[in-house]
Amino acid sequence: MSILVLAEHRRGELRDVTTEMLNLGNRIAKENSLQLCVLLLGADKGFTEALKSVCDRIIVIDSPELKDYSPDPYIKAIKKALTVVNPQLIMVAHSACGMDLAPALSEELSIPLVTDCVDVRLKDKKIITLRQIYGGKVFSELNLKPFDTYLVTIRPGSFEPVKELGKSASITELSFEDQVLEKRRFLEYIEEKIEDVDITSADILVSIGRGVGKPENIPIIQEFAEEIGALLSCSRPVADKGWLPKSRQVGTSGKTVRPKIYIALGISGAFQHQVGMKNSKTIIAVNKDPKAPIFNIAHYGVVADMFQVIPLLKEKLKK
Ligand SMILES: Cc1cc2nc3c(=O)[nH]c(=O)nc-3n(C[C@H](O)[C@H](O)[C@H](O)COP(=O)(O)OP(=O)(O)OC[C@H]3O[C@@H](n4cnc5c(N)ncnc54)[C@H](O)[C@@H]3O)c2cc1C
């Protein structure tokens, strides 16, 4: 028996969530004496080298049809992989592709699916999954009934990437000649134009959330940002309301940033936001709500009204 992790890659690069899933996969495999397999679809051969030491087996199915994610060929290829491996657990990233793929795969294979897991345990052939609800304020544990195979999607950023394990995975290559009649087809990646500033290259970001209240308050923050040599970024509601351009949005549907300092003002810290900024070197959060999830990842936290904190910060910085 085994665990099967679907590697996610985009434009020739393995996505971090793959090695994060392998960290979890290794833990579950070890606890249950299972083999950890990676499924590489249409992937660069270099990926096998990168993954060989952190799993037990790599199944490669290469075909031009699988070069970019497309649901129909992917499902067909996964079914092909399942002819040579019998997993107790299949892991897919809770990414745009994974969210699209997993429900269809669950239906196709008639297996239970739990989405957006932040942890998974396997005990006595049953899985227990951990998910966050109410915007990250509450954890919910699901105990599933026994089943031969489970499918889970794993939230990006929930685990550290797997560290070198010194394994030497066997490689199984499968062919994929069948032409798939696709209902949807990948056409091209369209690069977003940088219309205004590039927040991904900033050393310091002052980021505002819905807590800013109204657009009339933004100049106060803008002035503060300029004084400390920072660029202004935001959470999604601020961009959705048109208070700042979309190019300033941080998160899963915005930009991923890694500044030296990330100052989050009036941002609750929903996981979609955290994914885009959690790797910032120093995170400073100001929020009125002491239970705001942003405090779980902040290095420094201030429970207060941001409009009272900003003048104090300015004063300190002037000194
Ligand atoms: C598919 C999908 C993709 C998404 N992509 C993104 C994304 O890319 N980026 C993103 O950010 N979100 C994204 N979201 C939305 C995300 O789930 C949250 O809704 C969003 O991040 C919340 O933004 P917020 O923290 O600004 O607002 P809220 O959650 O409303 O939080 C506002 C916070 O401000 C605090 N506050 C209020 N007034 C003050 C004050 N005066 N001083 C200090 N604190 C104050 C409150 O306590 C609260 O914690 C996405 C959601 C979905 C479903």
Side-chain angles (χ1 to χ4, degrees):
M1 292 296 273
S2 59
I3 296 173
L4 185 66
V5 173
L6 177 66
E8 181 157 319
H9 54 89
R10 192 184 292 171
R11 305 175 97 175
E13 278 186 22
L14 259 190
R15 310 214 78 203
D16 291 349
V17 66
T18 304
T19 47
E20 293 166 11
M21 289 192 288
L22 286 172
N23 188 355
L24 171 66
N26 266 296
R27 193 194 76 200
I28 305 173
K30 202 170 166 194
E31 284 167 1
N32 294 273
S33 309
L34 298 171
Q35 188 185 49
L36 181 62
C37 303
V38 174
L39 176 57
L40 272 175
L41 299 182
D44 190 295
K45 291 277 187 300
F47 296 159
T48 46
E49 272 315 302
L51 297 172
K52 243 161 77 176
S53 66
V54 290
C55 63
D56 304 306
R57 183 181 185 186
I58 304 177
I59 301 167
V60 183
I61 308 183
D62 201 1
S63 152
E65 279 187 277
L66 298 168
K67 188 171 169 285
D68 296 287
Y69 169 74
S70 195
D72 300 323
Y74 256 56
I75 288 177
K76 196 146 197 172
I78 293 168
K79 285 174 85 174
K80 180 134 200 184
L82 295 179
T83 60
V84 299
V85 70
N86 183 18
Q88 240 176 299
L89 182 63
I90 304 175
M91 281 190 216
V92 173
H94 192 74
S95 58
C97 301
M99 281 189 258
D100 184 64
L101 174 74
L105 185 62
S106 156
E107 166 67 20
E108 186 72 27
L109 302 176
S110 299
I111 58 172
L113 162 69
V114 188
T115 58
D116 198 15
C117 301
V118 295
D119 200 6
V120 180
R121 278 177 290 137
L122 184 64
K123 210 172 168 217
D124 304 327
K125 300 201 171 159
K126 288 189 281 186
I127 61 162
I128 301 154
T129 63
L130 199 66
R131 307 171 77 233
Q132 283 186 345
I133 54 173
Y134 299 120
K137 285 192 178 167
V138 178
F139 282 97
S140 112
E141 197 178 79
L142 293 184
N143 288 258
L144 273 78
K145 290 182 184 159
F147 221 84
D148 289 341
T149 306
Y150 299 95
L151 174 62
V152 291
T153 66
I154 303 295
R155 178 183 289 190
S158 303
F159 299 90
E160 290 291 315
V162 68
K163 298 229 165 66
E164 173 66 48
L165 295 174
K167 293 189 174 190
S168 181
S170 62
I171 315 273
T172 309
E173 288 192 40
L174 301 178
S175 60
F176 190 75
E177 288 100 23
D178 317 339
Q179 208 62 31
V180 181
L181 192 62
E182 292 177 77
K183 296 181 204 85
R184 285 182 286 161
R185 198 155 49 90
F186 170 84
L187 292 179
E188 61 173 325
Y189 287 107
I190 301 172
E191 206 73 68
E192 194 197 348
K193 284 195 209 118
I194 298 173
E195 289 147 357
D196 140 67
V197 290
D198 182 10
I199 58 166
T200 62
S201 58
D203 276 347
I204 311 176
L205 283 174
V206 171
S207 208
I208 49 171
R210 206 188 327 245
V212 75
K214 49 186 179 182
E216 290 75 23
N217 287 336
I218 295 179
I220 303 169
I221 320 285
Q222 175 76 53
E223 193 194 317
F224 168 61
E226 278 168 16
E227 275 187 30
I228 62 167
L231 283 183
L232 204 57
S233 57
C234 64
S235 67
R236 181 163 161 172
V238 174
D240 282 353
K241 285 175 194 284
W243 294 352
L244 284 180
K246 179 86 181 154
S247 52
R248 305 262 182 155
Q249 183 190 317
V250 173
T252 46
S253 50
K255 300 271 168 61
T256 300
V257 296
R258 288 186 178 83
K260 289 186 183 144
I261 305 174
Y262 188 87
I263 306 177
L265 304 173
I267 294 179
S268 58
F271 97 88
Q272 291 96 342
H273 188 82
Q274 287 192 16
V275 166
M277 46 64 76
K278 68 179 166 52
N279 290 323
S280 305
K281 227 170 180 170
T282 303
I283 299 170
I284 302 167
V286 182
N287 199 303
K288 284 202 295 198
D289 176 5
K291 292 204 173 97
I294 193 78
F295 289 129
N296 298 337
I297 57 159
H299 302 96
Y300 301 95
V302 185
V303 180
D305 186 320
M306 59 197 244
F307 296 106
Q308 287 175 354
V309 173
I310 290 166
L312 297 175
L313 274 177
K314 263 207 254 183
E315 202 55 39
K316 282 245 178 237
L317 289 167
K318 265 188 204 153
K319 279 181 195 161

